[in-house]
Amino acid sequence: MGVKGFVEGGVASIIAGCSTHPLDLIKVRMQLQGENAPKPNPVQNLRPALAFGQTGTTSIHVAPTPVRQPRVGPISVGVRLVQQEGVRALFSGVSATVLRQTLYSTTRMGLYDILKNKWSDHEAGTMPLLRKIEAGLIAGGVGAAIGNPADVAMVRMQADGRLPASQRRNYKSVVDAITSMTKQEGVTSLWRGSSLTVNRAMLVTASQLASYDQFKEIILEKGVMKDGLGTHVTASFAAGFVASVVTNPVDVIKTRVMNMRVEPGKEPPYAGALDCALKTVRAEGPMALYKGFIPTISRQGPFTVVLFVTLEQVRKLLKDF
């Protein structure tokens, strides 16, 4: 039963990840908006009024004010992406997505299934909500720790096109990305932002899997719908919305920490997750933590629907094994 849970979850996750990859890419691009906004010059050189015969200037120190960049919506980001980089750019980093789903999602789905079978009331066929959340937290944390290298590679490959040509990393594949990072930045770079990845994955898995099971149980208990496609779609979309609201702030910080360029002999842009969060809020305001929310819910909704609908169908196919 344990092995079958990993196989079912892995197949469903890879299909869902690949089918919603363009939406995930747009989300990453939106989360990075404003990160490299130009900083105002705090010193202004002004010539004094009516200063006849004076050739010098007076430096007046003015307190800098943050420069707010206009936000661009998901449709505009997608259109501009296709215009500047071509249609194929929508699937930049898809090889990393496949590896990430193979490592991360297969682990979390399989482990959650094992814990669910262990902790469920086999007579009633249900598990308390707190137990579901606990199982999701454990499964998500373990899966994220295993899949972090693929996650870093995926973020970098998705974000590469927004950089100037001279600064692009130009990874050819996920294998090339991981190999290059190891050679240039050390093995530890593969786990950059891992604390954020683990925290986000714990929140995603706990909110996504636990809420899906909970919504599905409520729908069936109340007799709203029978156990079928309608129930699966409704419960999974509701679970996707819950997961998006809970995880978006962590996802924004994770994306920026993973994507930061660390140059030898120079201070990194962010000292850590907390530093990144504080700098983001100070420079762009609190709502910057919800940048990319529309594409997040637009991606998380379809992803969760495809994930659980596919999972239910794969379970039917493998029920005799």
Side-chain angles (χ1 to χ4, degrees):
M1 286 297 295
V3 175
K4 191 169 77 167
F6 284 94
V7 173
E8 293 169 346
V11 171
S13 298
I14 291 170
I15 292 173
C18 290
S19 61
T20 58
H21 182 82
L23 293 172
D24 192 49
L25 187 145
I26 291 172
K27 176 204 72 175
V28 168
R29 294 291 180 92
M30 289 189 69
Q31 289 174 342
L32 293 171
Q33 284 186 84
E35 185 182 28
N36 298 318
K39 297 179 181 179
N41 186 359
V43 179
Q44 296 182 7
N45 294 323
L46 303 176
R47 185 181 299 278
L50 302 177
F52 297 106
Q54 295 186 14
T55 57
T57 57
T58 302
S59 296
I60 300 176
H61 291 265
V62 181
T65 56
V67 178
R68 296 291 174 87
Q69 297 295 305
R71 294 185 179 180
V72 183
I75 296 177
S76 299
V77 170
V79 171
R80 188 169 61 188
L81 176 69
V82 172
Q83 289 175 341
Q84 295 178 354
E85 303 173 44
V87 177
R88 290 181 61 185
L90 291 172
F91 285 90
S92 297
V94 72
S95 60
T97 292
V98 173
L99 180 60
R100 177 177 181 269
Q101 298 299 339
T102 301
L103 297 175
Y104 158 62
S105 288
T106 299
T107 302
R108 73 176 183 126
M109 298 289 286
L111 189 55
Y112 180 82
D113 193 57
I114 290 174
L115 295 174
K116 181 180 174 182
N117 288 330
K118 184 177 180 179
W119 293 344
S120 290
D121 183 345
H122 294 288
E123 293 183 3
T126 59
M127 182 168 67
L129 178 59
L130 289 178
R131 277 294 200 179
K132 292 172 186 170
I133 294 173
E134 185 180 351
L137 291 172
I138 294 171
V142 174
I146 294 173
N148 200 81
D151 210 355
V152 177
M154 184 186 71
V155 167
R156 290 190 174 195
M157 292 174 75
Q158 289 178 333
D160 210 37
R162 67 183 284 275
L163 297 172
S166 60
Q167 297 180 19
R168 291 179 186 174
R169 299 179 174 102
N170 294 319
Y171 298 136
K172 298 176 183 177
S173 65
V174 64
V175 175
D176 180 45
I178 292 175
T179 304
S180 299
M181 280 188 284
T182 303
K183 290 179 180 177
Q184 297 170 9
E185 304 172 50
V187 177
T188 55
S189 67
L190 299 177
W191 275 271
R192 181 170 294 153
S194 58
S195 61
L196 288 166
T197 307
V198 170
N199 289 334
R200 177 188 177 278
M202 291 172 71
L203 292 173
V204 166
T205 307
S207 57
Q208 189 184 65
L209 301 189
S211 59
Y212 173 77
D213 284 342
Q214 192 69 21
F215 283 126
K216 183 180 174 183
E217 285 177 14
I218 292 173
I219 291 171
L220 296 177
E221 285 177 5
K222 300 294 183 181
V224 178
M225 287 183 282
K226 295 181 180 180
D227 189 4
L229 183 62
T231 299
H232 303 158
V233 171
T234 303
S236 58
F237 196 84
F241 180 79
V242 172
S244 299
V245 172
V246 170
T247 62
N248 203 87
V250 180
D251 200 30
V252 170
I253 304 305
K254 177 183 77 76
T255 297
R256 295 191 172 195
V257 170
M258 286 183 169
N259 187 59
M260 70 177 176
R261 181 180 292 275
V262 180
E263 298 181 6
K266 293 185 178 181
E267 287 286 329
Y270 308 116
L274 181 59
D275 182 51
C276 179
L278 292 174
K279 285 180 177 177
T280 300
V281 171
R282 285 170 185 164
E284 304 167 51
M287 289 309 295
L289 296 177
Y290 274 91
K291 277 187 174 181
F293 180 74
I294 298 301
T296 293
I297 186 62
S298 299
R299 182 259 181 188
Q300 193 69 259
F303 175 86
T304 311
V305 170
V306 174
L307 173 66
F308 286 114
V309 169
T310 305
L311 181 63
E312 298 285 357
Q313 299 306 311
V314 173
R315 282 175 176 169
K316 289 180 182 179
L317 291 173
L318 300 179
K319 66 179 180 181
D320 296 327
F321 292 91

